[in-house]
Amino acid sequence: MSDTRDMSGNGDVTPQGGQSRRGVLKAAVAGAGAVAAVGAGATAAHADGRRRGAPTFVLVHGSGCNSSSWSALSGELGLRGHRVAAVDLPGHGPDAYFPASYQAQDLARLRTEPSPVSKVTLADCTAHVTEAVRRAHRNGPVVLVGQSLGGATVTSVANQVPELLAHLVYVSAFCPTRHPSALQLMMTPEASTSALFRIPSVQTPPELGVGRVNWRSADPAFLAAAKDALAAGYSDTELLALLNTLEPDESLAVSAAESPGAAETWGRVPRTYVRFTEDRAIPPALQDLMIREADATTPRNRFRVRSLAAPHIGPRDPRVLADELEQVARLCR
């Protein structure tokens, strides 16, 4: 199911009308419903607090979703005796905004209804996760894990508090270095095949400041595009369960913010990249570009690379990803 890449970084794998290309890119990045596993339930699992040598996993979700996207993985790690905390980024989870027009499926009003999520910045996300990391660090080492757009926040946190982090894990996630933002990474040739560009987004005016996706659409073409981008290989029933956990609005400011990994801070923290070889949202070619650029930034601290045969939402069986994180935990002791 997985492979370890040699430390040289050499890999073995490789517009919609009415919108500008940049607008499509922003909506695509903001509309990436990034989840680590399908499921619902508790988002935190606790091992014996006296085990100060064992790391705490702090999990950061991607755009358009919340901490529940980690529930299956959190539960599996908890059953294995690990401490886990899955955070809700600002504007998500309990603070999510569901426009009245989204609830009513008033599609005309949905194009213009304002959203408080537009005010959320990458700095807000960074401050929120940094506080969670500080609290977790009181119990011992911290492994900070990000999926999809959550990788931008993980990188920004590591720029600020590298001394609090034992390891970084990018799970098919954005890792900005030479391309300093998720938006700029999505403008590269390696991203050109992303199926995110084929998910119809709500045509909102730029001043609204959000990328909006109508995840409750019953349009067969929309459902097919969403499945291809996020959950290829999953059943239609599993797809609908996933879409009903997603949130319609994502701040465009987060994907556009520039916060590249800095060699002197972020670059000090050991890191692992978990590649999803069947990901059609963040294609393997784009994942490999980010790995190469990160390794070029810190040639003496290169990614440990693992590959899993999974689409964007990850393996159906949470034990597969849990196995990878357990290997990271061993590296931290």
Side-chain angles (χ1 to χ4, degrees), residues 45 54-58 82-85 132 135-137 139-145:
T56 299
F57 294 100
V58 176
H82 295 283
R83 289 189 292 260
V84 184
R135 294 180 63 189
H137 188 259
N139 298 315
V142 175
V143 176
L144 183 58
V145 183

Side-chain angles (χ1 to χ4, degrees), residues 40-61:
T43 60
H46 301 279
D48 186 343
R50 292 171 293 180
R51 295 173 53 213
R52 293 190 58 82
T56 299
F57 294 100
V58 176
L59 310 180
V60 182
H61 63 79

Side-chain angles (χ1 to χ4, degrees), residues 250-271:
E250 185 66 53
S251 171
L252 294 178
V254 174
S255 58
E258 295 189 0
S259 184
E264 63 274 14
T265 50
W266 162 87
R268 290 161 37 194
V269 186
R271 59 182 186 261

Side-chain angles (χ1 to χ4, degrees), residues 162-204:
E163 69 280 2
L164 300 182
L165 302 170
H167 207 100
L168 301 173
V169 181
Y170 293 79
V171 180
S172 196
F174 288 102
C175 180
T177 52
R178 298 199 172 181
H179 288 84
S181 70
L183 177 61
Q184 291 186 41
L185 283 163
M186 286 298 288
M187 297 174 72
T188 63
E190 289 80 1
S192 62
T193 62
S194 173
L196 291 176
F197 297 134
R198 297 190 288 276
I199 296 180
S201 60
V202 179
Q203 306 295 301
T204 55

Side-chain angles (χ1 to χ4, degrees), residues 46-109:
H46 301 279
D48 186 343
R50 292 171 293 180
R51 295 173 53 213
R52 293 190 58 82
T56 299
F57 294 100
V58 176
L59 310 180
V60 182
H61 63 79
S63 77
C65 58
N66 51 60
S67 62
S68 71
S69 63
W70 294 109
S71 61
L73 179 65
S74 295
E76 177 62 27
L77 289 170
L79 290 172
R80 298 183 186 196
H82 295 283
R83 289 189 292 260
V84 184
V87 300
D88 284 302
L89 292 175
H92 295 277
D95 295 329
Y97 180 73
F98 291 86
S101 55
Y102 181 72
Q103 301 283 21
Q105 287 294 285
D106 181 343
L107 302 185
R109 186 181 171 201

Side-chain angles (χ1 to χ4, degrees), residues 187-236:
M187 297 174 72
T188 63
E190 289 80 1
S192 62
T193 62
S194 173
L196 291 176
F197 297 134
R198 297 190 288 276
I199 296 180
S201 60
V202 179
Q203 306 295 301
T204 55
E207 58 269 21
L208 213 61
V210 294
R212 178 169 287 168
V213 181
N214 182 16
W215 299 114
R216 292 180 180 166
S217 172
D219 178 19
F222 171 86
L223 294 174
K227 184 175 182 178
D228 184 52
L230 305 177
Y234 280 69
S235 69
D236 290 345

